[in-house]
Amino acid sequence: MPSSKIAFIGLGNLASAIVRGLLAEKAWAPSDIAGTSKTGVTAQKLAAETGITHEPDLAKLLAPADLVVVAFKPQSLATADPRLAELTAGKLVLSVLAGKTLSRLRQTFPHARNIVRTMPNTPAAIGAAMTAYCPLQPLAPADRALVEKFLDAFGQFVPLEEKHMDAITALAGSGPAYLFEYVAAMREAGIAAGLPADIAAKVALETTLGAARLLARTGETPEALRDKVTSPNGTTFAGLQVLTARQFRDTIKETIHAATKRAGELSRD
């Protein structure tokens, strides 16, 4: 596929992670990526660190772009620059805005040739994102190739019906934060059990990494691998009894439900 130009409207944490993923995989050259941010601070910082272009002039930013990535705060969609309607005419628009539906996006980008709703997560920065996407209209072959090249550069992706996007936002988009919190809890538990802080942090992290790799590589279910660790009335069994008593799985379900509900609320803001 010939090189295409990408314009980012918004360069916060998620968009910056995506840019770093694109560059790390050499899917796009820095000269083919430009962006702006609300105050310009994050865009200038990312440009200085990566070599992409910071272009604060919206018209100049969007004119050469083949793909426009909308990556500002979801709540900012209601007050987006009205010039976007014409400046994105005929362009492929890809949104990473949590909770913002295709019908709502069409109101801001009414003349785009197509709009694609996605939900990546921050592991995009190391090429390990998990992203779902759905288009407003069936994608033309060239546009599908462009979208999938973009998503493939920073991880794995899956096409999905829009009705599932709130749940995927909660599970994949927010999911890394829950894992980070779990590792932090393991670290604190290790310290409380008497380990030095640096050792507890290292063991918590490496144990999580090792277990995740084992799960990914063996193809076994989490339950099967759990049972291989658990001896009758042993240490793992004792710990799992506490998780069961504290309704660990129900807590996670409630966590995902709360995030899914909030994603739906964002679509109405």
Side-chain angles (χ1 to χ4, degrees):
M1 176 185 295
S3 179
S4 49
K5 302 286 185 181
I6 303 178
F8 282 82
I9 309 174
L11 280 170
N13 290 335
L14 178 56
S16 295
I18 291 172
V19 169
R20 294 182 190 280
L22 296 176
L23 297 177
E25 292 296 312
K26 295 181 171 53
W28 271 267
S31 59
D32 290 328
I33 302 175
T36 187
S37 57
K38 186 173 183 180
T39 65
V41 174
T42 56
Q44 290 174 337
K45 183 175 184 293
L46 188 66
E49 292 173 352
T50 64
I52 70 167
T53 300
H54 168 228
E55 178 50 76
D57 186 296
L58 200 58
K60 291 181 180 178
L61 171 67
L62 297 179
D66 303 297
L67 178 65
V68 177
V69 180
V70 183
F72 44 65
K73 295 294 185 183
Q75 297 88 336
S76 298
L77 187 63
T79 56
D81 193 316
R83 294 179 298 159
L84 286 172
E86 294 303 325
L87 291 175
T88 58
K91 298 185 182 296
L92 181 61
V93 172
L94 185 146
S95 166
V96 299
L97 307 186
K100 294 308 177 186
T101 64
L102 288 165
S103 60
R104 176 63 188 87
L105 291 163
R106 182 169 54 182
Q107 295 174 25
T108 303
F109 309 100
H111 308 305
R113 71 173 181 267
N114 208 341
I115 301 171
V116 180
R117 180 181 175 186
T118 73
M119 191 63 252
N121 53 23
T122 53
I126 60 168
M130 184 64 240
T131 306
Y133 79 90
C134 56
L136 178 63
Q137 303 292 340
L139 287 163
D143 283 345
R144 179 178 293 277
L146 177 57
V147 168
E148 294 192 348
K149 176 188 175 185
F150 177 81
L151 299 178
D152 184 63
F154 52 86
Q156 297 187 51
F157 60 86
V158 60
L160 195 68
E161 292 182 61
E162 188 174 24
K163 66 182 180 181
H164 299 303
M165 288 300 285
D166 289 346
I168 214 73
T169 297
L171 190 63
S174 301
Y178 310 142
L179 181 61
F180 301 149
E181 179 65 15
Y182 168 80
V183 175
M186 289 279 282
R187 177 198 66 207
E188 295 303 308
I191 293 171
L195 291 174
D198 59 335
I199 298 298
K202 183 176 179 61
V203 171
L205 173 60
E206 293 300 329
T207 299
T208 305
L209 281 172
R213 289 185 186 126
L214 182 65
L215 180 62
R217 292 179 186 179
T218 63
E220 295 191 57
T221 66
E223 290 83 357
L225 291 175
R226 176 204 62 200
D227 291 346
K228 288 183 177 180
V229 182
T230 308
S231 300
N233 207 29
T235 58
T236 306
F237 178 80
L240 287 170
Q241 290 295 100
V242 175
L243 289 180
T244 300
R246 300 295 173 87
Q247 298 181 316
F248 177 73
R249 289 199 175 193
D250 286 341
T251 298
I252 297 300
K253 287 179 185 177
E254 290 175 16
T255 299
I256 300 301
H257 175 74
T260 302
K261 180 181 177 183
R262 181 56 184 148
E265 292 169 351
L266 284 172
S267 70
R268 297 188 293 273
D269 288 348

